[in-house]
Structure formats: C-alpha cells, structure tokens
Amino acid sequence: MISSRVALLSSSSTLKITALTKKLKKEGKDVVNFAAGEPDFDTPAFIKEKAKLAIDQGSTKYTPSAGTNELREAICRKLKEENNILCEASGIIVTSGAKYAIFAAMITFLNKGDEVLIPSPFWVSYPEMAKLCGAKIKIIKTKAKDGFKLNADLLSRAISKKTKLLILNYPSNPTGATYSEEELKAIYNAVKDKNIVVLSDEIYEILTYDGAKHISFASIGDAHKFTVTINGFSKSFSMTGWRLGYLETAPNFIEAISKVIDHTTSCASSVSQAAGLAAIEDKKWPQTMRAEFEARRNMLFNGLSRLKKIKPFKPSGTFYMFCDIKKSGLSSVDFSSNLLDKHLVSTIPADSFGAEGFIRLSFATSAQDIEKGIKRIEDFTRGL
Ligand code: PMP
Ligand code: GLU
C-alpha cells in the first residue's frame, strides 16, 4: 500500500533519539542529553506574552498563505539590514517551520531524476526530502582536514548537466562549520551561470563563535537571482515547538512556491506568526543565548580533547560538536547506543549524516550536565 517514494524513506535519527532521550528522562533516568537539536532555553517571556495577546485579540484565523504582511515586512527589514540581501517583502514566505520551507522549495524545483548536490556530513532530512521529490542525490564528501567544508574544486567536479539544486547549510548541522566571504565567493563562482538553484539553509546564523561573522549566500554577487534562503525562529529564539520558519527568494520563484503552500499547509500558525513578529524585533536575547553556548562549547571541547578514543572538532557555529570515534573500534551506532545503555549519555550516531565513524554531540544542555557527560564518556571510552 505504501508508495514507492515513501517506502524509500529512512526515519529521522535526530527526532527518534531526541524523543527516546526525553522519554527516559521522564521515567526518572538521569540521562545526559547530548542529542538535543533544540536550544534548552525556554522561549522568552516577551514572545509568549505577545502570543497570548494575539489569541485574546482574535488572531486565530487563516492568514494569507505566504504569512501576515507585518511579519513578512519585518523579516524583509531584518534580511536587508543584517544579511545584506536585497529582498522585497513579496519575496518572503512564512512557513510551518524551516523544515517545511526546505521541502516546499525542493518540490517546487525538482523533477524526477534531477540531481541534488548535498555536501556531507549533512543534516538527516535533506536526502530524504530530495528522495520524496523523486530526485537523484549526489553526495559531495568533504574532509575533516578542510574543516568539513565544500570548496569550488569539489563542487565543480560534482556538477553535471542534470544538476538542479545545491544545498548549502552553514553554520552546519552537524559539523558546526561556517564559511568566510571568500569561501562563499568561490562557491558562487562555481555555480553561477550553471542554471542551478542554491538552497542556503542559514537557520543557525545567530550561533557563530570566535567573532566569526555570518554572511548570507544571497548577498554575494547576483546570487540572489538563483538562491532560496532558509531561516526561522526555532534556533534563534528557542521556538522549536511553535513551528515557524521562512524562505526568501527572487520574486519570480515566489508564485510557484506559494501554490505549494496554498495546497498543503494553507499558512503557518496565526498565533506563532504574531509571536514571531515580537521575536524578530529583538536583537538582544539571541546574543545572550549565543554567548552562553560559546562558553559551553569551550567547556565541552576542552573536556573531550583530553580523551584518547574520541576526537572532537571545534565548531565555529551551531550548538553541535562533531567527534571522530574511529579509534574506539566501534561503529557510530554501537558507540552511541552503548554509551546510552551503559552510561546514560545520549548522542546522535553520524551514519545518518553520511559520516560513519563520527558522532554528534549537542551542547544545548546545562554546564553541569556537560561536566557530568564528559566524565561518563571518559569512563566509557576507558573501558573500550
Ligand atoms: N535546517 C537545519 C540544518 C536544522 O538543523 C533544522 C532543525 N530542526 C531545520 C532546518 C528545521 O528547523 P525548524 O523546522 O524547526 O524551523
Ligand atoms: N534539526 C534538529 C537536529 O538535527 C532537530 C531535529 C530535526 O528536525 O532533525 O537534531
């Protein structure tokens, strides 16, 4: 009964392990949660208050399918001022989470057999979404010695006549790598004039460290013409459960993507959109969270660097730390599941990110738990 497209899908390792971790915690188990793909901060009170007010004032009906005009205008101001993207409010679509913005864009551009270039390690959902669209996946393997970054050489070798879409994601989930303006310019030069759409997922833009500045791909040269920028509120404002994201692209693509929204979700939640409007005007709160994550990153990195059988890579962004566990002699899945079963530390095995021999740790957890987790990993790896 199941369609061949869906039969091909794998389930999401990130969502599965995150749910299992939450369940174990609820049962009273003292699990250290290094699996979380969401900030551990509560959504700020000023955002919640705005949502309550919106409900009381009757913002409880369908909005225009691309989002309320107020929110699209506010997003447009943000993208112009902070991301240097020459956008118009009419080039923005608000979606039910950034995840849906990615899917709506993919289904709009991809025909059966079109090639999608995905640099690995990659976030679990990109290949699965491409499969749902009937596209062909071409993985571009990046190297640890290059900081897990795509470069013009790798890209040029991967591009073929069938290439329709390139996925960029930086700061990267799962490696935390981010790109300088020069590196992005090199990628731009390799894709421009090739009739390729670039889907630039910048949802972790706020979380960069050591003074790294986030540059949007759409701000380079004339990249705006062929780029769909993805962003949202989940990571910047700790609003994962509100399901609020957006995409921005050239106005000539918007009508087509809008039709997909019209016939699938109608619009993002009206209450979440009102909350998002309050959030986007605030520049301070995300920076406070960012500073806290930078301190935790340093703590986790210093703690893991002392250990023999695990090699952490220091991320320049996100709240993820990618670790090489090949010296343990275990597969990613065995390492993660033994660590959880025997020492109550949850992590994500990176085979689902296209990187066997690695695991992903999230430092979206308290400093106290980070310390506890490092000790437990030390005990676990010592026993191997
Ligand atoms: N892109 C990346 C790289 C992510 O890690 C996530 C995590 N959820 C998303 C997009 C989607 O975010 P959301 O749907 O919660 O806005
Ligand atoms: N993106 C987060 C993660 O990678 C949340 C879960 C998901 O949507 O995949 O863990």
Side-chain angles (χ1 to χ4, degrees):
M1 294 295 272
I2 307 295
S3 76
S4 51
R5 283 183 318 277
V6 173
L8 277 177
L9 292 187
S10 310
S11 54
S12 164
S13 60
T14 50
L15 290 177
K16 206 156 94 188
I17 298 170
T18 302
L20 173 66
T21 309
K22 286 183 181 171
K23 182 174 161 272
L24 291 172
K25 279 192 150 235
K26 232 181 179 166
E27 289 167 4
K29 303 244 166 62
D30 176 28
V31 181
V32 172
N33 184 4
F34 285 146
E38 58 187 349
D40 54 323
F41 295 76
D42 196 4
T43 303
F46 71 91
I47 297 176
K48 291 184 188 175
E49 288 310 319
K50 219 27 190 282
K52 289 181 204 165
L53 197 68
I55 294 173
D56 290 341
Q57 292 178 342
S59 294
T60 54
K61 300 287 168 66
Y62 293 131
T63 72
S65 60
T68 63
N69 290 338
E70 294 88 331
L71 183 56
R72 293 170 84 200
E73 273 157 22
I75 292 170
C76 183
R77 277 197 298 279
K78 177 241 177 290
L79 291 176
K80 272 186 182 153
E81 285 163 19
E82 294 173 18
N83 304 74
N84 213 10
I85 297 177
L86 283 175
C87 60
E88 289 168 32
S90 58
I92 288 157
I93 297 181
V94 180
T95 53
S96 310
K99 206 178 231 178
Y100 194 69
I102 298 168
F103 184 68
M106 282 202 198
I107 197 88
T108 301
F109 292 109
L110 294 173
N111 282 315
K112 193 162 186 282
D114 282 346
E115 238 170 47
V116 178
L117 303 183
I118 308 180
S120 78
F122 47 75
W123 176 46
V124 274
S125 293
Y126 300 134
E128 305 308 312
M129 290 193 210
K131 278 194 232 165
L132 263 180
C133 298
K136 243 183 90 196
I137 298 156
K138 200 185 240 185
I139 303 295
I140 310 179
K141 215 166 175 223
T142 66
K143 296 197 177 97
K145 75 168 178 50
D146 298 332
F148 297 108
K149 292 195 216 185
L150 179 66
N151 57 44
D153 184 39
L154 286 173
L155 183 54
S156 301
R157 277 191 272 140
I159 292 173
S160 79
K161 282 204 188 90
K162 288 196 173 155
T163 306
K164 186 71 172 286
L165 197 89
L166 163 69
I167 295 183
L168 286 182
N169 166 224
Y170 63 96
S172 152
N173 176 6
T175 67
T178 196
Y179 289 77
S180 68
E181 191 163 0
E182 277 60 44
E183 289 165 337
L184 291 172
K185 276 186 182 155
I187 293 173
Y188 162 77
N189 284 326
V191 282
K192 72 169 180 183
D193 308 325
K194 298 263 175 13
N195 243 341
I196 294 173
V197 174
V198 176
L199 193 147
S200 188
D201 180 353
E202 304 179 16
I203 193 155
Y204 293 95
E205 67 159 344
I206 221 78
L207 300 174
T208 57
Y209 309 125
D210 307 318
K213 191 173 162 0
H214 179 82
I215 310 283
S216 282
F217 188 74
S219 71
I220 312 269
D222 69 348
H224 186 244
K225 280 195 209 149
F226 55 87
T227 302
V228 180
T229 302
I230 304 288
N231 210 326
F233 295 79
S234 285
K235 319 292 170 174
S236 310
F237 294 96
S238 200
M239 290 177 70
T240 48
W242 299 72
R243 310 309 302 126
L244 194 64
Y246 57 89
L247 61 81
E248 190 284 331
T249 190
N252 52 319
F253 293 151
I254 285 291
E255 202 185 318
I257 306 175
S258 283
K259 284 193 263 182
V260 175
I261 308 287
D262 282 356
H263 294 297
T264 52
T265 58
S266 297
C267 62
S269 146
S270 57
V271 178
S272 297
Q273 290 190 57
L277 187 58
I280 204 159
E281 307 289 353
D282 184 83
K283 308 297 167 200
K284 260 206 209 127
W285 193 88
Q287 285 308 323
T288 311
M289 180 174 64
R290 194 209 62 77
E292 175 64 28
F293 279 138
E294 185 156 8
R296 294 185 198 173
R297 173 200 68 155
N298 295 342
M299 192 177 170
L300 183 62
F301 182 75
N302 293 338
L304 293 179
S305 296
R306 290 187 288 106
L307 309 187
K308 293 212 168 63
K309 293 192 174 137
I310 179 163
K311 179 181 166 20
F313 293 91
K314 199 174 197 176
S316 311
T318 72
F319 40 70
Y320 302 118
M321 193 167 292
F322 211 53
C323 299
D324 185 333
I325 49 97
K326 289 196 272 302
K327 276 197 180 151
S328 71
L330 297 176
S331 69
S332 302
V333 168
D334 286 347
F335 190 100
S336 272
S337 56
N338 290 348
L339 184 57
L340 181 58
D341 292 347
K342 297 182 186 148
H343 294 267
L344 291 181
V345 176
S346 73
T347 58
I348 310 279
D351 56 320
S352 57
F353 302 133
E356 175 52 47
F358 294 82
I359 59 167
R360 186 192 81 180
L361 270 68
S362 155
F363 43 94
T365 192
S366 68
Q368 205 185 359
D369 267 18
I370 291 176
E371 251 179 45
K372 207 194 292 180
I374 295 168
K375 275 211 189 78
R376 291 183 188 178
I377 295 175
E378 185 169 14
D379 289 345
F380 173 62
T381 51
R382 209 187 282 127
L384 292 174

